[in-house]
Amino acid sequence: MNTTRAMTALALGGFGIGTTEFATMGLLPQIAATFDIPDYEAGHAISLYAAGVVVGAPLIAVLGAKLPRKGMLIGLMLAVALGNGLSVVAQDKTMLLLSRFVAGLPHGAFFGIAAVVAATLVAPERRGTAVARVMVGLTVANLVGVPLATAAGQQIGWRTAYLSVSVIGVMTALAIAAWVPRVPLDADASMKGEVRAFRRPTVWFAIFTGMIGFGGMFAVYSYVAPLTTEVAGLPAGVVPWMLAVFGLGMTLGATFGGRFVDRSAMGSVFGGLVAVCVILVLFGFTATMPVFLFGLLFLLGFVIQVLAAALQIRLMDASPDAPVLASSSNHSSLNVANGAGAWLGGLAIAAGWGYVSTAWVGVGLSLAGLAVAVASVLYERRALDRETTNHTMAMTSAAMTTVDTHPR
Protein backbone atom coordinates (compact mmCIF):
# COMPACT_ATOMS: atom_id res chain seq x y z
CA MET A 1 0.00 0.00 0.00
CA ASN A 2 1.35 3.41 -1.00
CA THR A 3 0.02 5.80 1.63
CA THR A 4 1.45 8.87 -0.10
CA ARG A 5 -0.42 8.20 -3.34
CA ALA A 6 -3.64 7.46 -1.46
CA MET A 7 -3.35 10.73 0.47
CA THR A 8 -2.61 12.56 -2.78
CA ALA A 9 -5.79 11.23 -4.38
CA LEU A 10 -7.87 12.29 -1.37
CA ALA A 11 -6.18 15.70 -1.28
CA LEU A 12 -6.92 16.18 -5.00
CA GLY A 13 -10.60 15.77 -4.22
CA GLY A 14 -10.23 18.36 -1.48
CA PHE A 15 -8.57 20.67 -3.99
CA GLY A 16 -11.53 20.50 -6.34
CA ILE A 17 -14.11 20.92 -3.58
CA GLY A 18 -12.19 23.78 -2.01
CA THR A 19 -11.96 25.55 -5.35
CA THR A 20 -15.69 25.33 -6.02
CA GLU A 21 -16.61 26.37 -2.47
CA PHE A 22 -14.40 29.43 -2.18
CA ALA A 23 -14.11 30.63 -5.79
CA THR A 24 -17.69 31.88 -5.65
CA MET A 25 -16.66 34.39 -2.98
CA GLY A 26 -14.04 35.93 -5.26
CA LEU A 27 -16.40 35.99 -8.24
CA LEU A 28 -19.43 37.59 -6.60
CA PRO A 29 -19.10 40.86 -8.60
CA GLN A 30 -18.97 38.97 -11.91
CA ILE A 31 -21.89 36.69 -11.01
CA ALA A 32 -23.90 39.68 -9.81
CA ALA A 33 -23.22 41.51 -13.08
CA THR A 34 -24.29 38.52 -15.19
CA PHE A 35 -27.69 38.28 -13.50
CA ASP A 36 -28.04 42.02 -12.77
CA ILE A 37 -28.35 41.62 -8.99
CA PRO A 38 -26.47 43.22 -6.02
CA ASP A 39 -23.40 41.54 -4.52
CA TYR A 40 -25.14 40.49 -1.33
CA GLU A 41 -27.90 38.81 -3.35
CA ALA A 42 -25.31 36.97 -5.43
CA GLY A 43 -23.97 35.81 -2.04
CA HIS A 44 -27.03 33.53 -1.87
CA ALA A 45 -25.06 31.21 -4.17
CA ILE A 46 -22.65 30.73 -1.25
CA SER A 47 -25.52 30.07 1.15
CA LEU A 48 -27.20 27.55 -1.17
CA TYR A 49 -23.94 25.64 -1.63
CA ALA A 50 -23.58 25.54 2.15
CA ALA A 51 -27.18 24.30 2.45
CA GLY A 52 -26.31 21.45 0.08
CA VAL A 53 -23.42 20.44 2.32
CA VAL A 54 -25.59 20.59 5.43
CA VAL A 55 -28.27 18.37 3.89
CA GLY A 56 -25.98 16.03 2.00
CA ALA A 57 -23.36 15.21 4.64
CA PRO A 58 -25.52 13.43 7.24
CA LEU A 59 -27.98 12.04 4.68
CA ILE A 60 -25.30 10.42 2.51
CA ALA A 61 -23.36 9.20 5.58
CA VAL A 62 -26.43 7.43 6.95
CA LEU A 63 -27.69 5.99 3.65
CA GLY A 64 -24.18 4.84 2.74
CA ALA A 65 -23.34 3.29 6.12
CA LYS A 66 -22.98 -0.23 4.68
CA LEU A 67 -21.53 0.77 1.29
CA PRO A 68 -17.79 0.35 0.48
CA ARG A 69 -15.96 3.55 1.39
CA LYS A 70 -13.77 3.56 -1.69
CA GLY A 71 -16.79 3.26 -3.97
CA MET A 72 -18.52 6.03 -2.03
CA LEU A 73 -15.55 8.35 -2.54
CA ILE A 74 -15.54 7.70 -6.30
CA GLY A 75 -19.29 8.29 -6.58
CA LEU A 76 -19.12 11.49 -4.55
CA MET A 77 -16.44 13.00 -6.77
CA LEU A 78 -18.50 12.20 -9.87
CA ALA A 79 -21.39 14.00 -8.16
CA VAL A 80 -19.09 17.01 -7.62
CA ALA A 81 -18.36 16.99 -11.35
CA LEU A 82 -22.09 16.88 -12.16
CA GLY A 83 -23.09 19.70 -9.80
CA ASN A 84 -20.41 22.01 -11.12
CA GLY A 85 -21.31 21.14 -14.69
CA LEU A 86 -24.84 22.34 -13.97
CA SER A 87 -23.38 25.60 -12.62
CA VAL A 88 -21.54 26.10 -15.92
CA VAL A 89 -24.75 26.00 -17.96
CA ALA A 90 -26.95 28.00 -15.54
CA GLN A 91 -28.91 30.60 -17.51
CA ASP A 92 -30.62 32.46 -14.66
CA LYS A 93 -30.23 33.12 -10.96
CA THR A 94 -32.65 30.36 -9.93
CA MET A 95 -30.83 27.71 -11.95
CA LEU A 96 -27.49 28.85 -10.58
CA LEU A 97 -28.72 28.62 -6.99
CA LEU A 98 -30.15 25.15 -7.60
CA SER A 99 -26.92 23.97 -9.21
CA ARG A 100 -24.88 25.29 -6.28
CA PHE A 101 -27.11 23.34 -3.90
CA VAL A 102 -26.54 20.17 -5.94
CA ALA A 103 -22.77 20.84 -6.07
CA GLY A 104 -22.69 21.10 -2.28
CA LEU A 105 -24.45 17.79 -1.56
CA PRO A 106 -21.33 15.51 -1.83
CA HIS A 107 -18.95 17.97 -0.10
CA GLY A 108 -19.28 16.99 3.56
CA ALA A 109 -19.68 13.27 2.95
CA PHE A 110 -16.51 13.21 0.85
CA PHE A 111 -14.40 14.91 3.50
CA GLY A 112 -16.00 12.85 6.25
CA ILE A 113 -15.28 9.51 4.56
CA ALA A 114 -11.84 10.68 3.38
CA ALA A 115 -10.89 11.61 6.96
CA VAL A 116 -11.94 8.20 8.27
CA VAL A 117 -10.05 6.41 5.48
CA ALA A 118 -6.94 8.55 6.06
CA ALA A 119 -7.03 7.83 9.80
CA THR A 120 -6.98 4.08 9.10
CA LEU A 121 -3.81 4.42 7.02
CA VAL A 122 -1.64 5.73 9.88
CA ALA A 123 -0.85 4.98 13.52
CA PRO A 124 -3.52 6.15 16.03
CA GLU A 125 -1.30 8.88 17.45
CA ARG A 126 -0.91 10.39 13.97
CA ARG A 127 -4.62 10.80 13.19
CA GLY A 128 -4.56 14.58 13.57
CA THR A 129 -1.76 14.86 11.05
CA ALA A 130 -3.50 12.45 8.65
CA VAL A 131 -6.76 14.40 8.75
CA ALA A 132 -4.84 17.64 8.25
CA ARG A 133 -3.11 16.17 5.19
CA VAL A 134 -6.45 15.33 3.61
CA MET A 135 -7.44 18.94 4.16
CA VAL A 136 -4.23 20.14 2.45
CA GLY A 137 -6.06 19.82 -0.86
CA LEU A 138 -8.66 22.30 0.31
CA THR A 139 -5.98 24.68 1.53
CA VAL A 140 -3.96 24.45 -1.70
CA ALA A 141 -7.22 25.25 -3.47
CA ASN A 142 -7.27 28.53 -1.57
CA LEU A 143 -3.60 29.12 -2.32
CA VAL A 144 -3.67 28.25 -6.03
CA GLY A 145 -7.05 27.06 -7.30
CA VAL A 146 -9.25 29.88 -6.01
CA PRO A 147 -6.93 32.74 -7.07
CA LEU A 148 -6.49 31.20 -10.54
CA ALA A 149 -10.22 30.57 -10.85
CA THR A 150 -10.91 34.14 -9.75
CA ALA A 151 -8.40 35.60 -12.20
CA ALA A 152 -9.76 33.42 -15.02
CA GLY A 153 -13.29 34.37 -14.03
CA GLN A 154 -12.43 38.06 -14.23
CA GLN A 155 -10.76 37.70 -17.63
CA ILE A 156 -12.73 34.92 -19.35
CA GLY A 157 -15.92 34.46 -17.35
CA TRP A 158 -16.93 33.02 -13.97
CA ARG A 159 -18.25 29.81 -15.55
CA THR A 160 -14.67 28.66 -16.26
CA ALA A 161 -14.13 28.19 -12.51
CA TYR A 162 -16.91 25.63 -12.26
CA LEU A 163 -15.88 23.93 -15.51
CA SER A 164 -12.37 23.37 -14.15
CA VAL A 165 -13.80 21.78 -11.00
CA SER A 166 -15.88 19.37 -13.08
CA VAL A 167 -12.69 18.20 -14.77
CA ILE A 168 -10.91 17.86 -11.41
CA GLY A 169 -13.82 15.81 -10.08
CA VAL A 170 -13.44 13.24 -12.86
CA MET A 171 -9.66 13.15 -12.43
CA THR A 172 -10.05 12.57 -8.68
CA ALA A 173 -12.49 9.70 -9.21
CA LEU A 174 -9.91 8.01 -11.45
CA ALA A 175 -7.06 8.64 -8.95
CA ILE A 176 -9.08 7.19 -6.06
CA ALA A 177 -9.94 4.12 -8.12
CA ALA A 178 -6.23 3.57 -8.86
CA TRP A 179 -4.52 4.56 -5.60
CA VAL A 180 -6.81 4.35 -2.57
CA PRO A 181 -6.95 0.87 -0.97
CA ARG A 182 -10.20 -0.78 -0.05
CA VAL A 183 -11.00 -0.13 3.61
CA PRO A 184 -12.88 -2.94 5.39
CA LEU A 185 -16.24 -1.89 6.80
CA ASP A 186 -17.00 -2.38 10.46
CA ALA A 187 -19.11 -5.54 10.74
CA ASP A 188 -21.53 -3.64 12.97
CA ALA A 189 -21.93 -0.69 10.59
CA SER A 190 -25.56 0.22 9.98
CA MET A 191 -27.79 3.22 9.38
CA LYS A 192 -29.17 2.86 12.91
CA GLY A 193 -25.65 2.76 14.33
CA GLU A 194 -24.66 5.95 12.51
CA VAL A 195 -27.77 7.77 13.71
CA ARG A 196 -26.97 6.81 17.31
CA ALA A 197 -24.11 9.29 17.19
CA PHE A 198 -26.65 12.11 17.46
CA ARG A 199 -27.79 10.87 20.87
CA ARG A 200 -24.52 11.98 22.44
CA PRO A 201 -24.46 15.52 23.84
CA THR A 202 -20.70 15.77 23.22
CA VAL A 203 -21.32 15.32 19.49
CA TRP A 204 -23.85 18.16 19.47
CA PHE A 205 -21.54 20.41 21.47
CA ALA A 206 -18.77 19.89 18.89
CA ILE A 207 -21.19 20.46 15.99
CA PHE A 208 -22.52 23.71 17.47
CA THR A 209 -19.02 24.92 18.27
CA GLY A 210 -18.09 24.72 14.59
CA MET A 211 -21.50 25.86 13.38
CA ILE A 212 -21.34 29.10 15.35
CA GLY A 213 -17.61 29.73 15.78
CA PHE A 214 -16.69 29.30 12.11
CA GLY A 215 -19.40 31.76 11.12
CA GLY A 216 -17.06 34.52 12.27
CA MET A 217 -14.53 33.74 9.57
CA PHE A 218 -17.14 33.35 6.84
CA ALA A 219 -18.85 36.64 7.72
CA VAL A 220 -15.64 38.38 6.62
CA TYR A 221 -14.23 36.05 3.97
CA SER A 222 -17.51 35.89 2.02
CA TYR A 223 -17.03 39.58 1.17
CA VAL A 224 -13.28 39.59 0.60
CA ALA A 225 -13.69 40.97 -2.95
CA PRO A 226 -15.57 44.17 -1.99
CA LEU A 227 -13.44 44.51 1.16
CA THR A 228 -10.37 44.58 -1.07
CA THR A 229 -11.71 47.00 -3.67
CA GLU A 230 -14.14 49.24 -1.77
CA VAL A 231 -12.65 49.31 1.74
CA ALA A 232 -8.91 48.99 1.13
CA GLY A 233 -9.19 50.86 -2.19
CA LEU A 234 -7.21 48.30 -4.21
CA PRO A 235 -7.90 47.36 -7.85
CA ALA A 236 -9.92 44.23 -8.67
CA GLY A 237 -6.75 42.54 -9.93
CA VAL A 238 -5.51 42.33 -6.33
CA VAL A 239 -8.43 40.15 -5.21
CA PRO A 240 -6.79 36.88 -6.42
CA TRP A 241 -3.68 37.80 -4.43
CA MET A 242 -5.78 38.35 -1.32
CA LEU A 243 -7.30 34.92 -1.82
CA ALA A 244 -3.84 33.43 -2.34
CA VAL A 245 -2.57 34.91 0.93
CA PHE A 246 -5.53 33.40 2.77
CA GLY A 247 -4.83 30.08 1.04
CA LEU A 248 -1.16 30.23 2.03
CA GLY A 249 -2.20 30.63 5.65
CA MET A 250 -4.55 27.65 5.35
CA THR A 251 -1.88 25.52 3.68
CA LEU A 252 0.67 26.21 6.41
CA GLY A 253 -2.03 25.65 9.03
CA ALA A 254 -2.81 22.24 7.52
CA THR A 255 0.88 21.39 7.17
CA PHE A 256 1.93 22.27 10.70
CA GLY A 257 -1.35 22.56 12.60
CA GLY A 258 -1.88 18.81 12.80
CA ARG A 259 0.92 18.69 15.36
CA PHE A 260 -1.07 20.92 17.71
CA VAL A 261 -4.13 18.73 17.23
CA ASP A 262 -2.11 15.55 17.91
CA ARG A 263 -1.16 17.04 21.29
CA SER A 264 -4.60 18.30 22.29
CA ALA A 265 -7.69 18.51 20.09
CA MET A 266 -9.73 20.45 22.66
CA GLY A 267 -6.82 22.77 23.44
CA SER A 268 -6.57 23.53 19.72
CA VAL A 269 -10.31 24.32 19.62
CA PHE A 270 -10.00 26.84 22.45
CA GLY A 271 -6.81 28.38 21.11
CA GLY A 272 -8.23 28.63 17.61
CA LEU A 273 -11.43 30.39 18.64
CA VAL A 274 -9.61 32.89 20.84
CA ALA A 275 -7.17 33.64 18.03
CA VAL A 276 -10.01 34.17 15.52
CA CYS A 277 -11.63 36.69 17.89
CA VAL A 278 -8.39 38.64 18.23
CA ILE A 279 -7.74 38.62 14.47
CA LEU A 280 -11.24 39.87 13.65
CA VAL A 281 -11.05 42.66 16.22
CA LEU A 282 -7.82 43.84 14.60
CA PHE A 283 -9.49 43.42 11.20
CA GLY A 284 -12.30 45.75 12.24
CA PHE A 285 -9.85 48.51 13.09
CA THR A 286 -7.35 48.11 10.25
CA ALA A 287 -9.24 46.78 7.18
CA THR A 288 -8.71 50.07 5.33
CA MET A 289 -4.94 49.49 5.35
CA PRO A 290 -3.82 47.00 2.66
CA VAL A 291 -0.79 45.71 4.60
CA PHE A 292 -2.93 44.77 7.60
CA LEU A 293 -5.61 43.29 5.34
CA PHE A 294 -3.04 40.95 3.75
CA GLY A 295 -1.47 40.00 7.08
CA LEU A 296 -4.72 39.35 8.93
CA LEU A 297 -6.15 37.24 6.10
CA PHE A 298 -2.99 35.10 6.26
CA LEU A 299 -3.34 34.62 10.03
CA LEU A 300 -7.04 33.91 9.73
CA GLY A 301 -6.39 31.18 7.17
CA PHE A 302 -3.73 29.55 9.38
CA VAL A 303 -5.83 29.51 12.54
CA ILE A 304 -9.02 28.37 10.82
CA GLN A 305 -7.30 25.31 9.40
CA VAL A 306 -5.97 24.23 12.80
CA LEU A 307 -9.45 24.71 14.25
CA ALA A 308 -11.08 22.63 11.47
CA ALA A 309 -8.75 19.66 12.05
CA ALA A 310 -9.26 19.88 15.81
CA LEU A 311 -13.05 19.81 15.48
CA GLN A 312 -12.78 16.87 13.06
CA ILE A 313 -10.83 14.78 15.57
CA ARG A 314 -13.08 15.96 18.40
CA LEU A 315 -16.14 14.60 16.59
CA MET A 316 -14.48 11.32 15.65
CA ASP A 317 -13.47 10.78 19.29
CA ALA A 318 -16.96 11.64 20.50
CA SER A 319 -18.50 8.97 18.26
CA PRO A 320 -16.03 6.10 17.71
CA ASP A 321 -18.79 3.70 16.60
CA ALA A 322 -20.13 6.09 13.94
CA PRO A 323 -17.05 7.93 12.63
CA VAL A 324 -18.34 8.66 9.12
CA LEU A 325 -21.48 10.47 10.28
CA ALA A 326 -19.59 12.31 13.01
CA SER A 327 -16.81 13.32 10.64
CA SER A 328 -19.24 14.36 7.90
CA SER A 329 -21.26 16.37 10.41
CA ASN A 330 -18.22 18.55 11.00
CA HIS A 331 -18.47 19.75 7.41
CA SER A 332 -22.21 20.23 7.76
CA SER A 333 -21.62 22.44 10.77
CA LEU A 334 -18.88 24.41 9.01
CA ASN A 335 -21.14 25.03 6.05
CA VAL A 336 -23.98 26.15 8.28
CA ALA A 337 -21.34 28.60 9.46
CA ASN A 338 -20.56 29.40 5.83
CA GLY A 339 -24.17 30.16 4.95
CA ALA A 340 -25.00 31.90 8.23
CA GLY A 341 -21.82 33.97 8.21
CA ALA A 342 -22.41 35.14 4.64
CA TRP A 343 -26.08 35.87 5.41
CA LEU A 344 -25.46 37.76 8.66
CA GLY A 345 -22.62 39.69 7.08
CA GLY A 346 -24.94 40.54 4.19
CA LEU A 347 -27.59 41.79 6.62
CA ALA A 348 -25.07 44.14 8.21
CA ILE A 349 -24.04 45.43 4.78
CA ALA A 350 -27.65 45.80 3.62
CA ALA A 351 -28.40 47.78 6.80
CA GLY A 352 -25.89 50.36 5.63
CA TRP A 353 -23.18 49.60 8.18
CA GLY A 354 -20.51 49.01 5.53
CA TYR A 355 -18.32 46.05 4.66
CA VAL A 356 -16.11 46.46 7.73
CA SER A 357 -19.13 45.68 9.91
CA THR A 358 -18.72 42.03 8.86
CA ALA A 359 -15.67 41.86 11.16
CA TRP A 360 -17.79 42.76 14.19
CA VAL A 361 -20.43 40.24 13.15
CA GLY A 362 -17.59 37.73 13.03
CA VAL A 363 -16.33 38.63 16.51
CA GLY A 364 -19.78 38.04 17.95
CA LEU A 365 -20.10 34.64 16.28
CA SER A 366 -16.61 33.53 17.34
CA LEU A 367 -17.27 34.50 20.97
CA ALA A 368 -20.54 32.56 20.89
CA GLY A 369 -18.68 29.52 19.54
CA LEU A 370 -16.13 29.84 22.33
CA ALA A 371 -18.96 29.89 24.89
CA VAL A 372 -20.31 26.63 23.45
CA ALA A 373 -16.84 25.03 23.65
CA VAL A 374 -16.56 26.06 27.32
CA ALA A 375 -20.02 24.61 28.00
CA SER A 376 -18.97 21.32 26.41
CA VAL A 377 -15.97 20.97 28.73
CA LEU A 378 -18.08 21.78 31.78
CA TYR A 379 -20.66 19.21 30.71
CA GLU A 380 -18.00 16.52 30.26
CA ARG A 381 -16.49 17.24 33.67
CA ARG A 382 -19.86 16.95 35.36
CA ALA A 383 -20.63 13.76 33.45
CA LEU A 384 -17.28 12.31 34.51
CA ASP A 385 -17.90 13.30 38.13
CA ARG A 386 -21.31 11.59 38.03
CA GLU A 387 -19.78 8.49 36.47
CA THR A 388 -17.04 8.41 39.12
CA THR A 389 -19.58 8.86 41.93
CA ASN A 390 -21.84 6.13 40.54
CA HIS A 391 -18.88 3.79 40.14
CA THR A 392 -17.74 4.45 43.72
CA MET A 393 -21.25 3.85 45.07
CA ALA A 394 -21.52 0.62 43.07
CA MET A 395 -18.17 -0.62 44.39
CA THR A 396 -19.15 0.25 47.96
CA SER A 397 -22.48 -1.51 47.57
CA ALA A 398 -20.78 -4.59 46.15
CA ALA A 399 -18.29 -4.65 49.04
CA MET A 400 -21.06 -4.39 51.62
CA THR A 401 -22.96 -7.20 49.92
CA THR A 402 -19.88 -9.37 50.02
CA VAL A 403 -19.48 -8.74 53.76
CA ASP A 404 -23.17 -9.50 54.41
CA THR A 405 -23.00 -12.80 52.55
CA HIS A 406 -19.83 -13.90 54.42
CA PRO A 407 -20.62 -13.31 58.13
CA ARG A 408 -18.00 -14.18 60.67
Side-chain angles (χ1 to χ4, degrees):
M1 178 182 68
N2 190 317
T3 302
T4 300
R5 289 197 301 184
M7 292 289 192
T8 299
L10 297 176
L12 180 61
F15 177 81
I17 291 174
T19 299
T20 194
E21 179 181 19
F22 292 106
T24 303
M25 298 168 184
L27 294 171
L28 282 185
Q30 287 73 34
I31 293 173
T34 296
F35 299 114
D36 194 24
I37 54 177
D39 284 356
Y40 65 83
E41 194 171 327
H44 294 167
I46 300 170
S47 299
L48 264 292
Y49 181 92
V53 181
V54 173
V55 172
L59 184 63
I60 294 171
V62 170
L63 294 178
K66 296 188 73 68
L67 296 178
R69 288 171 178 166
K70 179 175 179 176
M72 286 280 288
L73 290 171
I74 293 171
L76 289 168
M77 286 313 302
L78 293 176
V80 168
L82 173 63
N84 283 276
L86 292 174
S87 300
V88 173
V89 299
Q91 295 302 307
D92 55 45
K93 173 190 167 185
T94 300
M95 186 176 177
L96 175 67
L97 295 181
L98 179 60
S99 71
R100 297 318 295 153
F101 177 81
V102 172
L105 288 172
H107 175 131
F110 176 84
F111 278 119
I113 296 171
V116 172
V117 169
T120 65
L121 301 179
V122 298
E125 66 275 9
R126 298 282 293 170
R127 290 181 309 149
T129 298
V131 169
R133 284 181 179 175
V134 170
M135 300 299 288
V136 163
L138 187 149
T139 66
V140 173
N142 280 275
L143 176 61
V144 179
V146 175
L148 287 178
T150 303
Q154 291 174 343
Q155 300 299 319
I156 305 172
W158 55 266
R159 299 177 194 275
T160 58
Y162 301 131
L163 178 60
S164 66
V165 174
S166 289
V167 174
I168 292 171
V170 174
M171 291 173 58
T172 302
L174 295 173
I176 291 172
W179 295 340
V180 175
R182 295 186 180 276
V183 177
L185 280 174
D186 188 336
D188 298 325
S190 67
M191 288 191 286
K192 184 181 293 186
E194 291 287 337
V195 172
R196 273 200 301 266
F198 286 132
R199 297 180 183 176
R200 299 185 177 98
T202 50
V203 169
W204 283 108
F205 273 121
I207 288 173
F208 279 113
T209 298
M211 191 181 295
I212 300 170
F214 258 76
M217 183 274 286
F218 284 113
V220 171
Y221 189 67
S222 297
Y223 300 96
V224 66
L227 278 165
T228 300
T229 56
E230 298 191 30
V231 176
L234 298 171
V238 176
V239 174
W241 293 104
M242 283 292 181
L243 297 172
V245 165
F246 182 82
L248 177 61
M250 290 186 73
T251 302
L252 293 178
T255 303
F256 301 107
R259 301 175 185 177
F260 297 111
V261 181
D262 286 337
R263 293 174 185 171
S264 173
M266 201 62 211
S268 297
V269 170
F270 280 118
L273 287 169
V274 170
V276 169
C277 288
V278 172
I279 291 168
L280 292 180
V281 167
L282 294 174
F283 197 100
F285 287 114
T286 64
T288 57
M289 294 178 272
V291 172
F292 285 97
L293 188 59
F294 271 105
L296 291 173
L297 279 174
F298 170 82
L299 292 175
L300 190 61
F302 184 95
V303 171
I304 280 297
Q305 199 53 43
V306 176
L307 182 57
L311 286 170
Q312 190 90 41
I313 294 297
R314 173 77 170 160
L315 272 167
M316 291 168 66
D317 288 343
S319 187
D321 54 340
V324 172
L325 181 58
S327 184
S328 298
S329 295
N330 186 40
H331 295 278
S332 283
S333 69
L334 299 189
N335 278 271
V336 168
N338 186 341
W343 179 65
L344 291 172
L347 287 181
I349 295 166
W353 297 340
Y355 288 105
V356 176
S357 65
T358 58
W360 303 112
V361 172
V363 170
L365 288 170
S366 298
L367 287 174
L370 183 60
V372 175
V374 171
S376 71
V377 171
L378 293 176
Y379 170 82
E380 286 191 64
R381 287 180 180 176
R382 289 174 183 172
L384 181 60
D385 289 342
R386 285 196 300 270
E387 184 178 333
T388 302
T389 300
N390 291 338
H391 179 71
T392 301
M393 291 176 63
M395 293 292 290
T396 301
S397 177
M400 292 177 64
T401 302
T402 301
V403 172
D404 288 342
T405 55
H406 295 84
R408 293 184 179 181

